[in-house]
Amino acid sequence: MLEIALLGVLSDADLHGYEIRKRLKEEGLIMNLSFGTLYPALARLERSGAIESYLQAPTSAKRTRTPLTGSLTGERAVAGSLMHQPVKSTRNKKVYRLTPAGQVLFRELLDSDSSNGADRRSFDIRLAFARYLPPSARLKLLERRRARIMEDLEQARLVSQETRKQTKKYGNALIEHNIESMERDMAWLNKLITAEIASRDDTTKRSVATRTTKAHLPTEIISPGSEI
Amino acid sequence: MLEIALLGVLSDADLHGYEIRKRLKEEGLIMNLSFGTLYPALARLERSGAIESYLQAPTSAKRTRTPLTGSLTGERAVAGSLMHQPVKSTRNKKVYRLTPAGQVLFRELLDSDSSNGADRRSFDIRLAFARYLPPSARLKLLERRRARIMEDLEQARLVSQETRKQTKKYGNALIEHNIESMERDMAWLNKLITAEIASRDDTTKRSVATRTTKAHLPTEIISPGSEI
DNA sequence: GTCATCATGTAAGCCGTTACATGATTGC
DNA sequence: GCAATCATGTAACGGCTTACATGATGAC
């Protein structure tokens, strides 16, 4: 779970521990990742060969803050720009970079990990990096989550009927509100699923229309792009 | 956290472990409490004197299933109805009962526990048993939760503005949906808080109107009742 | 000069899960 | 007779938090 998030942010850019934490917070994925969790996790990933680290010299220039331009390919290179200098400062900034093995691991974890993607935490993190998944896996992820919420929702509705006569004011208010929340989640997921299918059909049509040599749907092609 | 839930359900009725789990699931409080958590927790509470257990003979009659009438006082006695019989069956059914010390502990934990009631899990469980809290504490609980959601919401809105330009389709969808969820939670809490204040004012007015001997508001009186 | 923030880590412990072990009762 | 459910527990392990320890840099 944590691993996916770490590999995920490192898929976007090379980062050091402290900054990884900031990113995960900024992206709303993990609001308060403790250092006691983060650093050992990075060490484990490095030992396993999924990531590797290099030292970055302290930023001598004021505000050489990563510009974060919209360029899709440029970000990754930024961190290494000062690497050739001898590391004179003791300011240990261990910047981590995803290895090819790590990329493979990431995509494996992202798709059908041993468990699934049904529970909220697991789903949120996977969805955040869904652009690294092939469309078919993306759709499955959404559908698994929807199925799970449907289960929970049906259970909650049963409970609601049973306990409605038991005059437990606050408990009932809670259950009713939870049911409404789940119904909205369902609607949201349905919207995403519809959009997903539409874009898939759209791709199909286009590829059929242009009569390219590729006869079959490229289901295994990974598109990290970010087009709407 | 778990302790509050256990003491809470035992405040309503005497129950054995297996049934406690069922109740917590039925009430939507803890959907999948594992026995590996439940039984040791009960043992700890018993050791600490908050609860005590007695053995219940196996239900010889078919379906002597607790009738669950609406009577507010009747439920507690049901379990003990067959107690005078010598326990002949080896069917160990350890029924737990809240001790006076346990009731005190429960109310202490429910109100201003070391932490707060800000995070969702903690809040949900406390709200479910809010009828055991004095109105003032109930209001504080709702307001703490609202404050927390407001914080999270503001943070999320900041994030949303920052990352909107970064074209991360799925991440953005997630954040937007979370913001909407939090906004609805806020509205719901506001409704509850308004109702809470209204009922408090109502009580005030009535006690003033009838000119009872009690001059001051009975803020410390606990009303386990369940009137709407 | 001192406070906030940046930066990396270790150690102890809490809370909870999964898996294991055991056995009785009920319904088909 | 067999499966599902009821019923109670133990052992091992996972994931994450808190608290501790350390120190540099930047802002005021």
Side-chain angles (χ1 to χ4, degrees), chain A residues 135-150:
Chain A
S136 58
R138 221 144 58 195
L139 192 57
K140 268 183 221 148
L141 175 65
L142 293 166
E143 281 168 346
R144 270 201 305 269
R145 178 64 184 153
R146 180 173 62 176
R148 170 58 176 276
I149 291 182
M150 201 60 209

Side-chain angles (χ1 to χ4, degrees), chain A residues 214-226:
Chain A
K214 289 164 193 167
H216 289 80
L217 268 178
T219 42
E220 288 312 310
I221 284 183
I222 289 158
S223 55
S226 45

Side-chain angles (χ1 to χ4, degrees), chain B residues 5-196:
Chain B
L6 298 181
L7 296 173
V9 285
L10 289 177
S11 287
D12 297 334
D14 294 1
L15 297 167
H16 58 268
Y18 199 86
E19 205 160 8
I20 287 174
R21 184 175 182 267
K22 255 174 51 185
R23 285 279 177 111
L24 288 173
K25 181 183 290 215
E26 279 170 6
E27 263 149 58
L29 289 180
I30 303 178
M31 291 319 283
N32 261 314
L33 177 56
S34 66
F35 296 116
T37 308
L38 173 61
Y39 287 114
L42 287 171
R44 276 197 308 274
L45 284 173
E46 189 171 22
R47 253 180 280 131
S48 80
I51 60 178
E52 56 192 12
S53 66
Y54 54 90
L55 289 182
Q56 187 182 241
T59 51
S60 40
K62 292 211 163 198
R63 296 291 87 187
T64 314
R65 197 98 180 74
T66 359
L68 278 186
T69 55
S71 77
L72 295 169
T73 54
E75 280 195 54
R76 170 160 298 280
V78 172
S81 58
L82 290 178
M83 255 203 76
H84 54 283
Q85 293 181 355
V87 179
K88 59 186 172 193
S89 167
T90 57
R91 171 80 167 275
N92 267 353
K93 227 194 242 182
K94 279 177 76 173
V95 179
Y96 289 98
R97 164 209 297 146
L98 209 60
T99 63
Q103 289 181 33
V104 171
L105 177 64
F106 175 50
R107 272 137 217 258
E108 279 173 3
L109 287 176
L110 203 53
D111 190 18
S112 68
D113 167 31
S114 62
S115 72
N116 26 28
D119 59 298
R120 198 181 199 283
R121 234 177 96 56
S122 163
F123 171 76
D124 279 7
I125 287 178
R126 281 178 167 77
L127 184 64
F129 298 114
R131 71 203 126 104
Y132 292 107
L133 279 175
S136 59
R138 221 143 58 195
L139 192 56
K140 268 182 222 149
L141 174 66
L142 292 167
E143 282 168 346
R144 271 200 303 269
R145 179 64 183 152
R146 180 174 61 177
R148 170 59 177 276
I149 291 182
M150 200 62 209
E151 267 180 58
D152 291 355
L153 187 51
E154 274 160 12
Q155 240 251 276
R157 281 180 180 144
L158 278 181
V159 170
S160 169
Q161 284 188 325
E162 281 170 23
T163 57
R164 196 165 297 159
K165 38 210 157 183
Q166 284 182 15
T167 45
K168 290 179 180 175
K169 185 180 168 190
Y170 297 101
N172 286 352
L174 200 53
I175 289 173
E176 296 305 327
H177 181 242
N178 283 341
I179 287 178
E180 280 169 36
S181 295
M182 283 190 266
E183 283 169 347
R184 285 193 217 94
D185 286 350
M186 282 293 292
W188 177 68
L189 278 172
N190 281 332
K191 205 181 65 188
L192 288 185
I193 287 171
T194 305
E196 203 64 42

Side-chain angles (χ1 to χ4, degrees), chain A residues 2 32 34 36-37 62 89-91 121:
Chain A
L2 176 61
N32 260 314
S34 66
T37 308
K62 291 213 163 197
S89 167
T90 57
R91 171 81 167 272
R121 234 177 96 54

Side-chain angles (χ1 to χ4, degrees), chain A residues 72-108:
Chain A
L72 293 170
T73 53
E75 281 196 54
R76 170 159 298 280
V78 173
S81 58
L82 290 177
M83 255 201 77
H84 54 284
Q85 293 182 355
V87 179
K88 59 184 170 191
S89 167
T90 57
R91 171 81 167 272
N92 268 353
K93 229 195 243 184
K94 280 177 77 173
V95 178
Y96 290 97
R97 162 208 300 144
L98 209 59
T99 65
Q103 288 180 34
V104 171
L105 177 63
F106 176 50
R107 272 136 217 260
E108 278 173 3

